[in-house]
Amino acid sequence: MKVLTAAAMREADRRTMEELGLPGPVLMETAAMRVAEAVFALKLKGGRVVVAAGPGNNGGDGLALARILKNGGLEVSLWSTVEAGGYRGDAAVQEGFLERCGFPVGRLAEAGAVRRFKADLSGAALVVDALLGTGVNRPVEGLVAKAIEAINGSGVPVLSVDLPSGVYADSGEAPGCAVQARWTVTLACPKRGLLLYPGAALAGEVLVGQIHIPDFVLEESPAEVFTAAQAYALLPRRSADMHKGTAGRVLLVAGSPGMSGAAALAARAALMGGAGLVYLAAPQSICPALEAKLMEVIVLPLPEAAPGVIAAQAVELLLERAASCGVVAAGPGLAPAPETRALVGALLGRCPVPLVLDAGALTALAGEPGLLRRARQAPVITPHAGEMGRLAGLDAEAVQKARPETALQGAADWRCIVVLKGAHTIIATPQGRLTFNPSGGPVLATAGTGDLLTGLIASLIAQGLDSGDAARAGAFIHGLAGDLVPGRRSSRSLCTGAGGSERPGSPGRGYTASHILELFPQAFAALEQAAHKPSPWGPFLTPLRPIF
């Protein structure tokens, strides 16, 4: 599923209208219908729907929506920040039709109107935010800001059209006031600002509404959001005569004193990700502890230069074992030492199979990420913001402010696949392909979950996926396991209550990486379900992330 910038969305609209001949009013009417379908799917128990419309096409969508909802039997009140006769273009068509039909429109620009708007909100079951669209590029102020403050202060659930008003479509920034939505129906394709924070938090549950813009108009976009259907299609099918030797072999280089848990988690994730054999090569002094933890993993002791530090001569042993494996993953729990840097450099220059590098391996490369270019094929690196900053010579805050750009730059400069971990993990390739992962949430914000991701990606490579596909599918399945933690409720289940304070997708506390690892089997089963079950919102509305 493509992800668009505001400019790319405008160009897609233009081409659809000018080159393909679909009139603008038809696109607007279709957009309003998609939002209306979502409202009807909420099955509100009663009460009024308040539609707040601003200027431009987003406001025009709101005008059309109010009419459709009323025709569908709902009680609707419509408010606009635009004075009568002030709409232009396609939105003016909608305004004129409402006027000729005698549809009442409250004008927020009138004296005392904001007070009446607040009173109207107090009795509402739902507010639809159609105040501002993708063109916002400065903090909201004036009348629209007052309307947003009234909406947020009402306590009424909000559904936003395209993106929450006040959120920047490309960056997700919201420097002034912005609507806090419970649901957002984004039109044609997700906008980047819905996948970057704080916009992602303000958007709530995101639904993508199809408005008849053909796929080939969107093909030039290099960015996408990964879906359950894509992940499921990539999973290797397991034949009836498969055995452990044909299910994929992973060599994992990991661990040091005090960090044996990281190695164990990564090894178990590789196994539970589907690999038939996992070899864990670790400093010999911690191997007894690892053997006690791991019943199904083959532990390979490596010579040490110092307690817990793998010696240089271990490289030959690793390369010999790597020749019979499908992938080498290195880094979880490795000691920060010059010998580790030498080890990682040697693997990059000589390893005959794909590499996945995380944690200690990335620390070893800090200040010298160009070593990644030595690899025979693009390695996968899985940094968090701090590790990415150390590789790129930035601080973590700078990385967080420009996650897509930083990931793409690193992937191009170092000829690697960057899996930039965090809320909505980003995967970037040297060819400029950018993928947003929609699964996962704050339950993953605990020690050890990154080790699980390393093991899972390595497992998928060993089973035959190319490194880029393994990175995308691994991130999705890893996040999906987090989403299956008990306590995460479908946001749609909150609809009939039309109140409540629980945010969509907020899982319960008290879970560790080990709990999430145990949910891997459920995640694989849920993946097939999510890939094939129809959308609970209807045939033209697709949830951005699986709903369970």
Side-chain angles (χ1 to χ4, degrees), residues 401-421:
K401 286 183 176 179
R403 285 168 53 78
E405 295 78 11
T406 304
L408 283 169
Q409 191 66 55
D413 289 349
W414 310 325
R415 294 201 294 271
C416 67
I417 296 158
V418 175
V419 180
L420 181 53
K421 295 181 291 196

Side-chain angles (χ1 to χ4, degrees), residues 16-43:
T16 301
M17 291 184 286
E18 295 180 9
E19 298 177 16
L20 304 179
L22 190 65
V26 174
L27 277 178
M28 184 169 286
E29 191 76 6
T30 305
M33 184 61 73
R34 294 293 89 86
V35 181
E37 288 165 353
V39 174
F40 289 130
L42 294 179
K43 302 186 187 306

Side-chain angles (χ1 to χ4, degrees), residues 4-412:
L4 299 186
T5 62
M9 189 68 245
R10 286 192 296 272
E11 177 63 9
D13 283 338
R14 184 198 66 77
R15 289 188 61 190
T16 301
M17 291 184 286
E18 295 180 9
E19 298 177 16
L20 304 179
L22 190 65
V26 174
L27 277 178
M28 184 169 286
E29 191 76 6
T30 305
M33 184 61 73
R34 294 293 89 86
V35 181
E37 288 165 353
V39 174
F40 289 130
L42 294 179
K43 302 186 187 306
L44 300 168
K45 286 184 175 179
R48 184 174 56 263
V49 177
V50 176
V51 179
N57 285 344
N58 195 258
D61 295 340
L63 301 182
L65 171 67
R67 168 176 46 80
I68 294 169
L69 294 179
K70 187 171 184 179
N71 289 343
L74 296 180
E75 183 185 354
V76 179
S77 58
L78 172 61
W79 293 83
S80 173
T81 61
V82 179
E83 295 182 356
Y87 283 98
R88 298 291 180 267
D90 299 333
V93 175
Q94 297 291 344
E95 183 187 33
F97 185 64
L98 290 179
E99 182 181 357
R100 288 186 286 274
C101 292
F103 196 109
V105 181
R107 302 288 176 176
L108 283 164
E110 297 172 358
V114 172
R115 175 178 49 80
R116 295 194 297 275
F117 177 60
K118 289 181 179 178
D120 196 27
L121 289 171
S122 66
L126 178 73
V127 182
V128 177
D129 156 39
L131 290 167
L132 299 171
T134 59
V136 176
N137 56 13
R138 63 177 186 273
V140 179
E141 55 188 21
L143 185 60
V144 175
K146 291 180 180 179
I148 291 174
E149 290 167 0
I151 290 170
N152 287 344
S154 70
V156 179
V158 180
L159 186 152
S160 286
V161 179
D162 217 15
L163 75 165
S165 294
V167 172
Y168 292 6
D170 292 351
S171 68
E173 294 176 272
C177 63
V179 168
Q180 174 65 72
R182 184 169 294 181
W183 307 275
T184 296
V185 177
T186 192
L187 303 168
C189 292
K191 315 307 180 289
R192 282 184 22 155
L194 296 170
L195 293 157
L196 299 168
Y197 284 81
L202 292 166
E205 187 75 27
V206 178
L207 313 174
V208 183
Q210 188 182 121
I211 59 172
H212 306 312
I213 293 180
D215 289 343
F216 66 82
V217 174
L218 309 169
E219 284 179 356
E220 295 179 2
S221 172
E224 64 175 352
V225 61
F226 207 66
T227 67
Q230 286 175 283
Y232 181 73
L234 287 173
L235 286 185
R237 300 300 175 251
R238 299 173 77 86
S239 63
D241 62 347
M242 176 178 282
H243 56 80
K244 65 184 180 182
T246 60
R249 302 177 187 225
V250 174
L251 174 59
L252 174 65
V253 187
S256 61
M259 297 294 289
S260 63
L265 285 169
R268 290 197 66 214
L271 270 179
M272 295 183 72
L277 287 166
V278 175
Y279 302 97
L280 172 53
Q284 59 186 10
S285 61
I286 67 167
C287 285
L290 289 171
E291 289 188 0
K293 292 175 186 284
L294 301 167
M295 303 294 288
E296 303 93 347
V297 173
I298 301 167
V299 178
L300 306 175
L302 297 177
E304 297 176 326
V309 178
I310 299 171
Q313 62 264 36
V315 171
E316 301 305 326
L317 299 173
L318 292 172
L319 292 173
E320 181 180 354
R321 178 67 65 173
S324 63
C325 293
V327 64
V328 173
L334 285 183
E339 290 84 358
T340 303
R341 177 185 286 255
L343 173 70
V344 173
L347 287 174
L348 282 166
R350 299 174 60 191
C351 186
V353 295
L355 284 163
V356 181
L357 304 178
D358 184 28
L362 299 181
T363 298
L365 292 171
E368 203 173 357
L371 291 174
L372 291 162
R373 293 194 291 267
R374 291 183 179 180
R376 300 183 184 184
Q377 55 183 294
V380 178
I381 65 171
T382 61
H384 54 59
E387 290 165 338
M388 189 67 188
R390 289 191 287 274
L391 288 171
L394 303 169
D395 59 39
E397 184 178 355
V399 173
Q400 288 293 79
K401 286 183 176 179
R403 285 168 53 78
E405 295 78 11
T406 304
L408 283 169
Q409 191 66 55

